[in-house]
Amino acid sequence: MNIIWLNSKGGHARSVQLSRSWLYLALLVMVALPVALGTGAYWLNYKLVPPAYTEAVAERFQSELNEQKREVADLSRLSAEQFRALTLQLADTEARLVRLDALGERLVDVAGIDGQEFDFSSAPAIGGPEVEGSSSFTPPSFMQELERVTTALQRREQQLDILEKLLANRQLKDETFLSGRPIPHGWMSSRYGRRTDPFSGRVAWHKGVDFAARDGSPIIATASGVVTFAGKKTGYGQLVEVNHGNGISSRYAHAKSVTVEVGDIVRTGDTVAIVGTSGRSTGPHVHYEVLKNGQQVDPSPYIARARR
């Protein structure tokens, strides 16, 4: 094989004749050199840069995997405990709901309210147009049961709240029901209407009823209300006036002393004053008046009422 070199400057040419052995050697060098270079580069990279996956890396991965397994197991155990707690709470709530129903039905029966108006055994009637864009959702069975109990409790609370208001109104009417006498012991010494004035001897209009009682004995409220006057008033002496609502008020006059103040809330039978003979009086007694819309009326019908 001949190899010819050309010299571009001088225009000379040289030729070299190679034998077959040299040709094979050259081809061998051309093939072996890249292989040697690649092998050397791989060896240097392995020695200088450690591999990404080693036994240490495998151990670390295994440790992290074991830790994650423990966390999953702990989470599963915690979820199971919480689920059991929710189940127990749901059972307790249902038991309370049953007792609440029984209480509501008992209150309806005691209050004498129509049972059909407060039926604790049936769901309330509800409805309304469908909201556009609303999507259907089916919760898990446990959540459905929890939602059912929660809704039932809310319904019972609403029913009992209304029932409580009705009973409170009825109780308020009972407490403000004016009836009875303003003294525990004594007798009626002067009626409402025309009579002979004990001081002038002339016929005069008596705007209340007098009850003779022992000096120092209690004067009691004939109904619940708010004290609107407590003190001295011309002609009445020591006077207590109680507003019972609905335009009804009562007065207790000629007391030795008063035991309440303006703004106090008194209940039926509470002591509001002490029997005396203050003001225009001939002896220890209580001058009792009933006012309707600011005008004195005959107290006799209220005195004759039976206590509720």
Side-chain angles (χ1 to χ4, degrees):
M1 180 179 177
N2 293 327
I3 299 176
I4 300 174
W5 280 280
L6 295 177
N7 190 344
S8 59
K9 294 181 178 181
H12 300 288
R14 291 182 182 181
S15 63
V16 177
Q17 186 175 3
L18 297 176
S19 63
R20 287 181 178 274
S21 59
W22 282 103
L23 178 61
Y24 292 152
L25 180 62
L27 291 175
L28 180 62
V29 170
M30 292 176 63
V31 173
L33 183 60
V35 174
L37 291 175
T39 304
Y42 176 79
W43 183 82
L44 290 175
N45 182 69
Y46 180 80
K47 290 298 184 178
L48 298 178
V49 180
Y53 185 78
T54 61
E55 292 184 0
V57 174
E59 291 178 357
R60 187 173 71 251
F61 283 169
Q62 186 63 40
S63 176
E64 293 178 356
L65 182 60
N66 293 335
E67 182 66 23
Q68 291 176 356
K69 287 182 178 180
R70 285 193 295 270
E71 292 178 357
V72 171
D74 293 341
L75 182 60
S76 178
R77 184 172 58 257
L78 179 62
S79 299
E81 292 176 355
Q82 291 179 346
F83 185 79
R84 285 195 297 270
L86 284 174
T87 303
L88 293 175
Q89 185 176 2
L90 179 61
D92 180 67
T93 303
E94 288 183 340
R96 292 186 179 185
L97 182 60
V98 172
R99 291 196 295 269
L100 201 61
D101 286 344
L103 174 61
E105 293 174 358
R106 177 60 179 166
L107 288 176
V108 169
D109 182 58
V110 171
I113 300 174
D114 186 5
Q116 295 180 353
E117 184 177 357
F118 288 93
D119 187 3
F120 285 87
S121 62
S122 62
I126 58 176
E130 183 179 0
V131 180
E132 295 182 0
S134 60
S135 59
S136 60
F137 171 71
T138 304
S141 58
F142 180 81
M143 297 303 297
Q144 286 180 341
E145 185 67 15
L146 189 60
E147 183 179 358
R148 181 190 66 81
V149 174
T150 302
T151 303
L153 279 175
Q154 292 175 350
R155 184 172 67 247
R156 298 303 189 274
E157 288 177 352
Q158 292 175 355
Q159 290 175 324
L160 286 177
D161 183 58
I162 296 174
L163 182 59
E164 181 184 10
K165 291 180 180 178
L166 289 176
L167 293 177
N169 291 335
R170 179 173 295 183
Q171 182 180 6
L172 181 61
K173 290 181 180 178
D174 291 342
E175 291 180 352
T176 57
F177 183 76
L178 201 66
S179 61
R181 306 191 309 171
I183 54 172
H185 306 286
W187 53 280
M188 186 182 295
S189 57
S190 181
R191 295 184 178 274
Y192 175 86
R194 292 183 180 276
R195 71 168 187 179
T196 301
D197 187 277
F199 291 94
S200 65
R202 299 176 182 177
V203 176
W205 189 264
H206 189 217
K207 296 182 180 181
V209 174
D210 292 340
F211 287 93
R214 187 170 57 186
D215 186 39
S217 59
I219 301 173
I220 60 176
T222 54
S224 299
V226 179
V227 177
T228 55
F229 186 91
K232 194 171 184 180
K233 190 175 181 68
T234 303
Y236 289 93
Q238 295 291 334
L239 169 72
V240 174
E241 182 172 335
V242 180
N243 188 319
H244 307 287
N246 296 321
I248 303 296
S249 299
S250 59
R251 285 178 176 174
Y252 313 84
H254 304 308
K256 175 183 290 186
S257 61
V258 298
T259 59
V260 293
E261 297 179 354
V262 174
D264 286 351
I265 298 175
V266 296
R267 298 187 178 277
T268 305
D270 287 352
T271 300
V272 295
I274 304 299
V275 173
T277 183
S278 62
R280 198 167 180 266
S281 171
T282 60
H285 75 286
V286 180
H287 174 79
Y288 177 62
E289 290 183 0
V290 174
L291 293 86
K292 192 171 185 179
N293 297 323
Q295 299 295 325
Q296 288 92 344
V297 296
D298 188 359
S300 300
Y302 298 96
I303 297 171
R305 281 178 172 179
R307 286 284 180 196
R308 287 186 178 181

